[in-house]
Amino acid sequence: MAEVGVRRGGPADAGVVLRLLDDATAWLAALGRTGQWGAEPASTDPRRIGQADAWARGGGLWLAQAAGQPVGALVVGTATEYVPPATEPELYVNLLVTDRAHAGKGIGGRLLAHAAELARERGVGLLRVDCYAGDDGALVRWYERQGFTATDPFTVQRPGHPPWPGQVLTHHPH
């Protein structure tokens, strides 16, 4: 694969985010892992479409690119309301999704390294992320391999759906 670069995303990239989410959701569903993002495409869910549009317009979207094609998306900003607040200034990873066709090529790690660099540029000593902690905990372990430390577990209650188990992880960029 060509070298992975990172570029700032913008309003025109909402469709890219939805495509990456759709592909990742289909991949997870094919493995029987529907607890994280369900089984329905993000691109058909008005809530997810609105979320992708807000991310694309919000100034915190970054895209990993290889050979001119988007192969991953990162959104950084402020923490979501369902996680415990930070005790110091932070940058929060709101979304990390990579193209499953390029799995295992370090794209997620490259985007997290970019988030750490953004935190350093802003003089912020804390980078946090939350992720799905259900099933076998594989996603939590992946973030730990990227240098994050699991801190606060949490549960999101969702009417009409099973509770969603989550895990906050922290990283202190130097």
Side-chain angles (χ1 to χ4, degrees), residues 36 79-85 92-94 128-134 139-140 150-158 162-169:
Q36 183 174 340
T80 48
E81 71 282 353
Y82 51 78
V83 302
Y92 202 87
V93 175
N94 301 112
R128 285 198 309 163
V129 65
D130 70 78
C131 72
Y132 178 66
L139 190 54
V140 173
T151 56
D152 302 294
F154 65 93
T155 303
V156 177
Q157 301 298 333
R158 305 176 303 162
W164 193 88
Q167 177 68 56
V168 176
L169 299 102

Side-chain angles (χ1 to χ4, degrees), residues 20-119:
L20 289 165
L21 285 169
D22 282 357
D23 289 352
T25 300
W27 175 75
L28 288 165
L31 296 175
R33 292 175 173 262
T34 56
Q36 183 174 340
W37 284 336
E40 299 304 314
S43 61
T44 62
D45 180 339
R47 185 185 69 82
R48 300 301 296 274
I49 293 168
Q51 189 178 49
D53 192 54
W55 281 333
R57 294 177 184 280
L61 173 62
W62 296 85
L63 297 174
Q65 300 237 135
Q69 296 300 311
V71 293
L74 166 76
V75 177
V76 293
T78 57
T80 48
E81 71 282 353
Y82 51 78
V83 302
T87 57
E88 64 181 278
E90 71 171 340
L91 186 62
Y92 202 87
V93 175
N94 301 112
L95 174 71
L96 180 68
V97 61
T98 60
D99 188 332
R100 298 311 311 165
H102 299 283
K105 296 181 178 163
I107 297 165
R110 173 74 179 85
L111 286 168
L112 287 176
H114 186 72
E117 183 61 32
L118 290 171

